[in-house]
Amino acid sequence: MTKTPTLADVARRAGVSTATVSRCLNAPERVQRETRERIEAAVAEIGYSPNFGARALAAKRTDTIGAIVPTLENSVFARGLQAFQTGLVAQGMTLLLASSAYRPDLEAAQIRTLVARGADGLLLIGHERDPALYDFLALHRVPVLVAWVYDPSEPRPSVGFDNKAAMAEMTAAVLAQGHRRLATISGHTRFNDRTRDRVAGVRAAMAAQGLDPATLTVIETPYGIETGARAMADLMTAPHPPTAVICGNDVLALGALRQARAMGLRVPEDVSITGFDDTELSTVADPPLATVSIPHGEMGARAAIMLTEMVRTGAQPDSVALPCVLRLRGSLGPVPRAA
Amino acid sequence: MTKTPTLADVARRAGVSTATVSRCLNAPERVQRETRERIEAAVAEIGYSPNFGARALAAKRTDTIGAIVPTLENSVFARGLQAFQTGLVAQGMTLLLASSAYRPDLEAAQIRTLVARGADGLLLIGHERDPALYDFLALHRVPVLVAWVYDPSEPRPSVGFDNKAAMAEMTAAVLAQGHRRLATISGHTRFNDRTRDRVAGVRAAMAAQGLDPATLTVIETPYGIETGARAMADLMTAPHPPTAVICGNDVLALGALRQARAMGLRVPEDVSITGFDDTELSTVADPPLATVSIPHGEMGARAAIMLTEMVRTGAQPDSVALPCVLRLRGSLGPVPRAA
DNA sequence: TCGCTCGATGAAAGCGCTTACATGACGACT
DNA sequence: AGTCGTCATGTAAGCGCTTTCATCGAGCGA
């Protein structure tokens, strides 16, 4: 069992000092061409690759970015994360990933873990969390970028979209179809500013049309097809069922859609259903799901660039708002005559 | 700007040596109760947390596990990964994640990156890759666990399922419905043993029924709803269209389903369609998709335990086969009379 | 009481790399 | 010729932790 080669081995072999080898690896332009070639040859010959711990210790950075998402179960975050990861790789960074199962306590633990693991920066979803966590991050000088929301009033930079405005736009489209009895199936709004903003968007759009936002029925439930279906069942068996159900995301909406079918309700003739996210599945549903399309790829890519910049320069960039676009598909139709 | 506290600060404060503090952190039972309490108090007071780089350098491990999946775009890998990540956290490990976009060259680059980033072990999807990569990993003494397949004949341990057998089972179910003109929409089989095994499974089942496997029409295409739809269009406009289309995964199948609907074909009356993976979307499709259910969660959780064990003890565990189960849903029906 | 063992702790040597600073060679300018 | 700046490289001091080995008492059997 021979030892793994070190910088010193390379230096010896190339007949230079370790400093030169280090420079050759980190800033090749600062060493003469001839020397560089000699070093590169030595590296190749003995199969050297730098020791991560030593590098991290000496350089005080790991070139590693942490991200904590609520879940990977559905493709809601997976797509943005994919773009984020790809973007990081392009910047020479690596992704440390954790998930919180939508639980603030687990998220807090993960934040601490990732920082302890040497994450140079952190991507978090949504602004809302215990201020102590932000203090902790400030103490450790770990820059944070918040994604999936855009809120310039928050002290931290974010990259995402205006959940409230997007949902208001969708609601306006629903109202334009003549619907007046609306219901919303939402994720839990506690600890979750995205879901809360979306519900607020529905209410805002109603108010803008002179409707009383208090008449909106809201069911909160964990994200999931099954839970969406159950919520739908509750809504439609109530005394005055809504004519349109605005769901907080596509997964809930697909559950609602399935449930409607199971109850013999036609969509959109008997009830309209809308989603949020535009996961690729929404086009496969029957009828295809009307939803709000979110720029996952753009958001992930931008996040990678912004966060890398923050880590490297310490800069505090401006928040970036990305546009959402309405996809008005078959699951949204005019209000039924009888209603 | 005060410096972040170090082990030495804790030691000074607690009136002990750094060695004792280190022991207290890593093997608390080896230091006397009273001393331990003093140290713990000091840690809390000055808000100490260990430096990752230093620890990695001195201990020669990072408690970090790397994983490289082909993509996060769809939920095929996301669900297993979610379980894997959760399992790792339970073992005190952290996940370094990369994706390869199904490209062997990118995967190779990612493998090198993750090793350079100090991954103690690696989770890879499928066995097939350049042997030089396995040499590289052996050289760096990084244990590898292969997931999403089960193949005890390979030299490396794997945790997953027998893709060929599972697909053969599904095909047998299709044949049992009287279908004889079959087609398969598959992911690319080059560099991908999973897809290849699945196609082989279809052929094996045909042979078992005395059919000529050569009569199977196979279309290879990248994974995606659109590509699945296009493949379906090609299949159904050919001279002798199949009566059943067996897809290599759910995403392709959902694309095929959508295309069938677009072409005015009824499923399963005119054509049957089956998938593979049992993503949660398959129950939402109309008709619900017949598919092979894969134990994502179990696989991810087992992988986390096995790989942690490999890293900690250097053991080479036996491969683990997990059972798949057929979900025969509405998209599979009897062969049409006219066919 | 003596000699031992054993458990708790300390001293100190790295782990492999980065980087501030020192050195020396070489031109260019005065 | 003397001075200075520049560039390529070397020297060496850490970075903060783990771990080996040594030390020191206390407890214990003879």
Side-chain angles (χ1 to χ4, degrees), chain B residues 7 19 22 26 48 58:
Chain B
L7 233 207
S22 176
N26 297 302
Y48 166 78

Side-chain angles (χ1 to χ4, degrees), chain A residues 193-216:
Chain A
D193 46 1
R194 283 104 55 215
T195 49
R196 198 158 51 228
D197 286 352
R198 292 181 194 174
V199 175
V202 177
R203 292 216 164 92
M206 290 175 74
Q209 286 290 313
L211 299 176
D212 180 3
T215 63
L216 179 71

Side-chain angles (χ1 to χ4, degrees), chain B residues 243-262:
Chain B
T243 62
V245 177
I246 296 174
C247 299
N249 75 3
D250 279 2
V251 178
L252 290 173
L254 291 174
L257 199 55
R258 194 185 71 185
Q259 181 63 27
R261 194 157 60 222

